[in-house]
């Protein structure tokens, strides 16, 4: 699709994938031809600048010390490192979504006459152009304004999103004849996208899908995103650990989410909830780390927020030096774990050719 863009053929007849990332690849190919290295460097830059955005977003809520730890743990997760150079849309989506979050959080309270407000809304809506699940961020912005009783701004978000996506959706409807203009809608409603003869979901099969996905994400993927206690990538599968590991880590994750909601950090909470709702409804044959990768930093943040609140409580009730010491030990152990995984990743991948 990037080559099609570079040759002036737009997306051809493709309607399944949003055009954001192919457009960037097309621009790169205009200057560097079909060099895979140049395209990988583009993704790598998004990884680097996305890491900065992650830090800037979380610093607003937990301060520099904790934000640094959360950011490092997130970007050193083996799955994130793996996708940091893949010519795939996961890393660009993570960059664009955190850019949208950063700008929206910074300018969401600006008056309606402020151009910064509209720039942030465009950035939020732009996430949809990189991955369809970007609609979760748009939904978070809309519901945020509804919670704050700022109906005009909520309607403006809906308007901006509609104006930006309508041409794309209309094109998809005309080409694919699919509801919503994308085959993803049909695939979402199918029992199994690879076996269309099985038909579409009913209430029973929908609940079964949510149950299976809940086990995948809450017992494996989210706990691993929070604490990569063993080495695992999309190509290297780790051991199956006892279920109570997943229960404990998911419990910390949900406790952090509740605390984030309690402290009225609505944007991050809503984005996390909407993202989870979508992946739990997604066909289980596609479930896995590819879908959670762009929000691994958010999952780490929710878990860290729980520990951060305990840390703040301890500062008021326990010796300050002891509290700082406990944080230092925790940070050292977690950073050591991340460095071990990075070293393992390097050893695992060194036999692949440089282009890979």
């Amino acid at each position: 699709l990037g080559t099609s863009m570079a040759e002036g053929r737009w997306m051809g007849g493709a309607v399944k994938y949003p055009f954001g990332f192919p457009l960037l690849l097309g621009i790169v190919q205009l200057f560097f031809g079909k060099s895979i290295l140049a395209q990988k460097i583009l993704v790598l830059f998004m990884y680097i600048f996305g890491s900065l955005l992650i830090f800037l977003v979380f610093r607003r809520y937990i301060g520099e010390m904790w934000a640094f730890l959360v950011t490092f743990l997130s970007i050193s997760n083996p799955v994130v490192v793996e996708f940091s150079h893949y010519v795939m849309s996961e890393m660009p989506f993570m960059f664009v979504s955190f850019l949208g979050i950063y700008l929206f959080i910074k300018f969401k309270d600006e008056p309606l006459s402020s151009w910064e407000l509209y720039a942030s809304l465009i950035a939020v809506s732009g996430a949809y152009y990189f991955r369809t699940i970007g609609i979760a961020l748009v939904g978070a912005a809309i519901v945020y304004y509804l919670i704050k009783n700022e109906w005009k701004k909520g309607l403006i978000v809906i308007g901006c999103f509609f104006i930006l996506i309508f041409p794309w959706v209309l094109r998809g409807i005309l080409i694919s004849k699919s509801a919503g203009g994308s085959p993803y809608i049909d695939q979402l409603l199918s029992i199994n996208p690879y076996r269309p003869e099985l038909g579409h979901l009913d209430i029973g099969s929908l609940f079964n899908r949510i149950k299976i996905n809940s086990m995948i994400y809450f017992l494996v993927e989210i706990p691993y995103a929070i604490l990569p206690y063993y080495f695992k990538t999309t190509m290297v599968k780790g051991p199956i650990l006892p279920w109570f590991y997943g229960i404990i880590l998911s419990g910390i994750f949900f406790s952090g989410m509740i605390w984030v909601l309690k402290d009225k950090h609505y944007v991050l909470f809503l984005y996390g909830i909407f993202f989870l709702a979508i992946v739990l409804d997604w066909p289980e044959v596609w479930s896995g780390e590819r879908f959670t990768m762009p929000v691994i930093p958010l999952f780490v943040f929710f878990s860290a927020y729980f520990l951060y609140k305990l840390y703040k409580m301890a500062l008021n009730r326990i010796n300050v030096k002891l509290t700082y010491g406990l944080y230092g030990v925790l940070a050292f152990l977690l950073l050591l774990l991340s460095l071990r995984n990075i070293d393992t990743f390097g050893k695992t991948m060194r036999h692949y050719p440089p282009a890979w």
Side-chain angles (χ1 to χ4, degrees):
L1 293 177
T3 301
S4 179
M5 288 281 193
E7 294 175 350
R9 293 184 285 110
W10 189 235
M11 294 279 286
V15 296
K16 183 175 181 179
Y17 304 106
F19 68 81
F21 188 42
L23 178 61
L24 293 182
L25 293 178
I27 294 172
V28 169
Q29 289 188 28
L30 285 176
F31 293 95
F32 301 100
K34 296 181 181 180
S35 168
I36 189 67
L37 180 60
Q39 297 174 50
K40 283 182 171 289
I41 290 174
L42 168 68
V43 176
L44 185 62
F45 274 133
M46 289 184 160
Y47 169 71
I48 293 170
F49 289 109
S51 302
L52 176 61
L53 288 168
I54 291 166
F55 173 77
L56 292 176
V57 168
F58 295 151
R59 184 180 64 175
R60 300 175 69 93
Y61 301 102
I62 55 178
E64 291 188 353
M65 185 170 71
W66 278 84
F68 171 79
L69 179 61
V70 170
T71 302
F72 187 84
L73 292 176
S74 302
I75 66 175
S76 62
N77 184 290
V79 175
V80 177
V81 174
E82 180 183 11
F83 281 93
S84 68
H85 59 282
Y86 283 1
V87 185
M88 299 176 69
S89 64
E90 281 74 16
M91 186 55 64
F93 174 74
M94 189 182 83
F95 168 79
V96 173
S97 59
F98 273 94
L99 175 62
I101 292 170
Y102 172 73
L103 292 176
F104 183 73
I105 289 173
K106 187 173 183 179
F107 298 119
K108 64 185 181 343
D109 298 320
E110 293 292 314
L112 290 173
S113 58
S114 170
W115 69 267
E116 291 98 335
L117 173 65
Y118 294 96
S120 70
L121 298 183
I122 291 172
V124 166
S125 300
Y128 177 85
Y129 276 141
F130 281 77
R131 294 197 73 179
T132 308
I133 202 170
I135 198 170
L137 184 55
V138 178
I142 294 170
V143 175
Y144 168 81
Y145 282 132
L146 297 182
I147 291 174
K148 303 293 284 187
N149 285 321
E150 297 187 62
W151 296 88
K152 287 184 179 180
K153 287 185 177 180
L155 291 173
I156 288 174
V157 177
I158 295 173
C160 285
F161 182 60
F162 179 79
I163 292 170
L164 286 172
I165 75 162
F166 179 74
W168 177 251
V169 172
L170 179 61
R171 172 186 176 275
I173 292 174
L174 294 176
I175 292 177
S176 69
K177 311 298 183 184
S178 297
S182 172
Y184 276 133
I185 304 297
D186 292 333
Q187 293 169 346
L188 177 64
L189 298 176
S190 298
I191 292 178
N192 186 330
Y194 298 114
R195 298 187 60 190
E197 71 275 7
L198 295 178
H200 290 86
L201 290 171
D202 54 24
I203 296 297
S205 55
L206 175 61
F207 277 109
N208 185 61
R209 172 180 292 181
I210 293 174
K211 181 184 73 173
I212 293 173
N213 281 334
S214 296
M215 294 176 65
I216 293 172
Y217 287 111
F218 298 136
L219 295 182
V220 180
E221 298 302 338
I222 290 178
Y224 183 78
I226 297 168
L227 185 64
Y229 33 78
Y230 59 89
F231 182 78
K232 180 174 83 76
T233 67
T234 58
M235 296 181 292
V236 180
K237 300 302 178 183
I240 299 176
L241 297 182
W243 59 268
F244 56 81
Y245 280 93
I247 294 293
I248 293 171
L249 291 173
S250 288
I252 293 174
F253 166 77
F254 279 114
S255 298
M257 285 192 78
I258 293 170
W259 228 323
V260 167
L261 175 62
K262 183 179 177 182
D263 289 345
K264 299 182 178 180
H265 303 320
Y266 295 126
V267 177
L268 297 183
F269 173 81
L270 290 168
Y271 180 45
I273 283 291
F274 291 159
F275 197 100
L276 281 174
I278 293 172
V279 297
L280 290 179
D281 289 329
W282 210 246
E284 58 270 30
V285 294
W286 290 336
S287 299
E289 53 276 289
R290 274 194 63 192
F291 288 91
T292 55
M293 196 290 294
V295 290
I296 281 178
L298 190 61
F299 291 167
V300 175
F301 169 79
F302 287 142
S303 307
Y305 197 80
F306 173 74
L307 300 177
Y308 169 76
K309 297 296 287 189
L310 294 180
Y311 167 80
K312 297 295 285 187
M313 292 167 59
L315 281 178
N316 297 325
R317 301 181 182 182
I318 306 176
N319 182 279
V320 173
K321 289 185 179 180
L322 176 61
T323 305
Y324 277 117
L326 292 173
Y327 167 84
V329 171
L330 174 65
F332 175 76
L333 293 175
L334 292 175
L335 293 175
L336 194 64
L337 177 64
S338 293
L339 292 173
R340 185 209 68 179
N341 283 331
I342 291 174
D343 179 64
T344 305
F345 186 87
K347 292 177 181 177
T348 304
M349 300 295 288
R350 66 186 176 187
H351 300 296
Y352 287 84
W356 179 264

